[in-house]
Amino acid sequence: MVNKKSNKPVLKKTATRRSAAPAHIGLVKNDSWLEPFEDAIRGRHDHALWKLNQLTQNGKRTLSDFATGHLYYGLHKQARGWVFREWAPNATAIYLIGDFNDWKEDEKYQCKRIEGTGNWELRLKEKDLKHGQLYKMKVHWDGGEGERIPAWCRRVVQDEETKIFSAQVWNPVVPYVWKKAGFKPQKNPLLIYECHVGMGQDAEKVGTYNEFRENVLPRVAKDGYNCIQVMAIQEHPYYGSFGYHVSSFFAPSSRFGTPEELKALIDEAHRLGIAVIMDIVHSHAVKNEVEGLGNLAGDPNQFFCAGDRHEHPAWDSLCFDYGNDGVKHFLLSNCKYWLEEFHFDGFRFDGVTSMLYYSHGLGEAFGGYGDYFNGHEDDEAICYLTLANLLIHEVNPNAITIAEEVSGMPGLAAKFEDGGFGFDYRMAMNIPDYWIKTIKELKDEDWKPSSIFWEVKNRRPDEKTISYCESHDQALVGDKTIIFRLIDADMYWHFKKGDENEVARRGIALHKMIRLVTLAAINGGYLNFMGNEFGHPEWIDFPREGNGWSYKYARRQWNLVDNKELCYHWLGDFDREMLSVVKGQKNFARTAIQEIWHNDSDQILAFMRGDLIFVFNFSPSKSYTDYGFLVPTGSYDVVLNTDAEKFGGNGLADDTMTHFTNYDPVYVNDHKEWLKLYIPARSAVVLKKN
């Protein structure tokens, strides 16, 4: 996106890469303000190329061939028994202990170091391990020992009574058989439903993969979203971390069910035409040593940076050493594993800003382009992210990658050959910040359509974004969702139909308008967090000591939107029809945005995309009769109106009318005429050209 403070202009995009050394690299061709930093951009690009050539042995194999650690390490059933392998260079001895040997060291289960490597191996007969048995590693190193869960294990479970985590032998008699093959995501536009399996149920408990598949997926499909972004899949010891303190990177969280049940969820989503992307955490790892990678074999730096960069200063977690080829092997294999084993359609990479900078972006203003190229960037992390994107698209050319990045680093979602990182999209994180600031700090009379329009389009033209009004971040305890900022406690007393007060009516109207203007201006995709489409009340607060380990706020109250006596269904119904209108316009996300009119005094905004005209009146008190816009000559029908009674509006306009443009000889050569509309206060309307 364009940096909000510098607001540098960009040049027209060119599709071809340089053919000779003097020519500018693609990023610089597209943005002349990057010329002073071209050497740094080329340096990053060349670094990734050098590492790519090294890992692929100068093209003798593919990057996908390199990223196969999950097929070698961990516990695997073979034709004649079992094989277990672990990468632990600092270990002096490794045993498998479990309920098959009373959790005691046994020579039969002692691993052998593979000579000349940091790898350990154990081969067992088929009878020595059984499906469902629990196990761990007992690792010895110079000066110490400890029980550890293997780094590459695919199944981890927690004992309900002792709360102890263990790896579990997982080899079902009947493996999962995929029903839907060859799924290809719909991307124009990409409409993402961000969700969490555990909190996806009405009941005060941890929901399951099966319950999500049966109860939530049909809602997502009905509402018109074509992608779900699933949080908290990688195993994490503390449920309240929202899945961001990962311990076992290859294990789908067992608190939600079995791996086969997760596969069934993804399979059903594909049957419904819904892509499934995973919120992947490669930006840091949980500090736990017994459950995680914190001190796998007596070397706390096996996976993580040494010294001052070992721990994340804000997240109480550990920072990966992306310059270590063993770590690259681990993380790249992790990407490939989730794509191939579970048929995920891609990833939303969490915490990319933290990865990009030695400072993790903390306390930095990023006020100009120089702040992205002043030597504080982690080139190894940049190289890893670039390789990850190359790998993911090599494994699945239709895969989706999204960067959660707040600093505005140029090139993040640009093509690798242009000097970019290769992400398909970046999160437009400026937009929710803008809406929160606007709601908190400005009176309704001071909302400026010009500012709103600029902000929802604030991005680099050569990088696609995922726009959103709010995600799970804005719903966490201590913060407020948009609906709660607008209505607050009045939701408890005035959200029954017929009992709405002025605060509730204002909130309902603006909730719809905010979403519509954000979605209408996308250049890639749109995201909504589970339940926010219908104005889910209150915040998200996972069970913890401070709330008596309650699940009251770690769930979604679907009963509210299903109750036709309450106002929630108005918002849910509007969201569904809003998505339908956008999906009905061919190639909507790639269609140019043409401003028709804005007037900050009137608080009116109008713009056109293809055959659709979007008109907004943000004024809280002024309605306008015969407000005119110059538009292409023809007739227009209303396809969506936020003020319609069926969406909780006042129903002041007659949406059954066909609107004909009025001839004006001044503009006859432009093939434009005047479209005159009645625009009620605090409402928006979408018209389609016939």
Side-chain angles (χ1 to χ4, degrees), residues 459-486:
R459 56 203 171 220
R460 302 180 64 80
D462 57 343
E463 300 189 44
K464 291 186 291 187
T465 61
I466 301 297
S467 300
Y468 62 109
C469 310
E470 54 187 342
S471 67
H472 73 276
D473 286 328
Q474 287 73 43
L476 292 171
V477 64
D479 208 336
K480 288 183 179 180
T481 59
I482 284 177
I483 197 69
F484 229 64
R485 287 189 183 279
L486 292 170

Side-chain angles (χ1 to χ4, degrees), residues 552-589:
K552 181 178 180 181
Y553 299 108
R555 61 189 177 114
R556 296 285 90 177
Q557 299 181 60
W558 305 110
N559 65 89
L560 296 176
V561 70
D562 292 341
N563 188 341
K564 300 304 182 183
E565 295 183 1
L566 302 178
C567 299
Y568 298 98
H569 87 86
W570 282 335
L571 301 179
D573 293 346
F574 173 79
D575 193 80
R576 185 182 307 114
E577 291 205 25
M578 177 181 73
L579 298 186
S580 178
V581 167
V582 168
K583 290 166 70 176
Q585 176 69 44
K586 187 177 181 180
N587 295 325
F588 180 82

